[in-house]
């Protein structure tokens, strides 16, 4: 796996936010788009294809499962091997139909069962990123690093930099509609850039996107 001094910024939510991505571009920070291809807006897909941005498959339909007491779990959090494989196959087929390809998988809610890890490796995925770290499915290596939300990015980056390790910031498109939230994320990115190197999940094992 790559050095522990990396910065990963990911964006999900199916909305095109050119202004935010342009602000990252100006800082030399690539973004990894987390795509649910079955319902990704055509204009977003076309924009990503034109720019050549890094992408990660982000589930099939984001179906949740009940955990009790009103709580629910992510689509791949508790799936057995066979069902995880079926959903990955369907999601990849939809991604191919959109004219895109990736060997990086980020499950919804950043949570994956053991069966999902096995199925993803069998289907040729190279990187699987969950809430607690980034996994190289070919070698079994993993880099522990928790995902920071847009809301916690500033405090979280300061904490990570004190302890050492990669910085992972994830932004949902709807977060960017909140007043001041984009500025908060960009301030956290600026703080991190003095200490880490920006990259994408597609390069997590040292191979270019």
């Amino acid at each position: 796996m790559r050095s522990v001094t990396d910065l990963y910024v990911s964006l999900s939510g199916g909305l095109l936010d050119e202004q935010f991505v342009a602000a990252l571009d100006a800082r030399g920070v690539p973004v990894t788009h987390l795509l649910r291809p079955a319902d990704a807006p055509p204009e977003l897909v076309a924009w990503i294809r034109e720019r050549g941005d890094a992408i990660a498959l982000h589930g099939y339909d984001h179906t949740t499962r009940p955990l009790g007491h009103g709580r629910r779990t992510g689509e791949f959090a508790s799936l057995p091997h066979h069902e995880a494989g079926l959903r990955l196959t369907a999601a990849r087929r939809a991604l191919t139909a959109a004219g895109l390809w990736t060997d990086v998988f980020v499950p919804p809610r950043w949570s994956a069962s053991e069966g999902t890890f096995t199925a993803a490796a069998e289907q040729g995925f190279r990187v699987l990123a969950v809430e607690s770290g980034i996994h190289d499915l070919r070698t079994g290596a993993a880099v522990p690093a928790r995902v920071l939300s847009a809301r916690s990015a500033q405090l979280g980056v300061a904490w990570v930099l004190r302890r050492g390790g990669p910085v992972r910031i994830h932004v949902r498109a709807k977060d960017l509609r909140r007043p001041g939230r984009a500025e908060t994320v960009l301030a956290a990115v600026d703080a991190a850039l003095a200490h880490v190197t920006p990259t994408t999940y597609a390069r997590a094992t040292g191979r270019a996107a």
Side-chain angles (χ1 to χ4, degrees):
M1 300 290 280
R2 285 174 56 93
S3 164
V4 294
T5 56
D6 290 332
L7 167 66
Y8 300 87
V9 178
S10 55
L11 180 62
S12 69
L15 295 177
L16 177 59
D17 196 304
E18 295 186 50
Q19 185 174 358
F20 179 72
V21 176
L24 293 175
D25 286 345
R27 291 163 167 80
V29 177
V31 64
T32 300
H33 298 273
L34 309 189
L35 285 183
R36 181 172 65 182
D39 59 1
E43 61 273 18
L44 174 62
V45 171
W47 188 69
I48 291 173
R49 278 204 307 260
E50 180 180 348
R51 284 174 48 87
D53 283 347
I55 63 171
L57 186 64
H58 193 41
Y60 177 58
D61 60 8
H62 287 212
T63 298
T64 59
R65 295 170 179 248
L67 285 174
H69 304 289
R71 297 180 302 143
R72 302 188 71 85
T73 189
E75 179 184 356
F76 285 84
S78 59
L79 289 183
H81 169 224
H82 179 67
E83 189 172 349
L86 292 175
R87 285 183 172 269
L88 284 170
T89 298
R92 260 195 158 169
R93 187 176 296 124
L95 191 67
T96 300
L100 296 172
W101 183 90
T102 184
D103 57 6
V104 179
F105 180 56
V106 175
R109 300 193 182 188
W110 301 87
S111 182
S113 64
E114 289 186 13
T116 297
F117 270 82
T118 302
E122 289 175 349
Q123 294 196 20
F125 283 93
R126 184 173 46 87
V127 175
L128 199 162
V130 293
E131 183 178 9
S132 59
I134 307 168
H135 297 259
D136 183 334
L137 295 179
R138 294 182 178 176
T139 67
V143 173
R146 294 214 167 260
V147 179
L148 305 175
S149 68
R151 184 173 59 181
S152 66
Q154 277 188 300
L155 289 176
V157 165
W159 183 84
V160 172
L161 293 177
R162 285 197 302 270
R163 294 177 61 91
V167 176
R168 302 171 64 198
I169 300 174
H170 178 62
V171 183
R172 298 175 301 175
K174 66 180 182 180
D175 291 332
L176 297 174
R177 297 198 295 268
R178 297 177 180 271
R181 191 58 55 83
E183 289 77 10
T184 297
V185 173
L186 293 173
V189 168
D190 288 338
L193 283 175
H195 307 276
V196 299
T197 301
T199 188
T200 68
Y201 287 105
R203 300 182 184 136
T205 58
R207 197 177 86 187

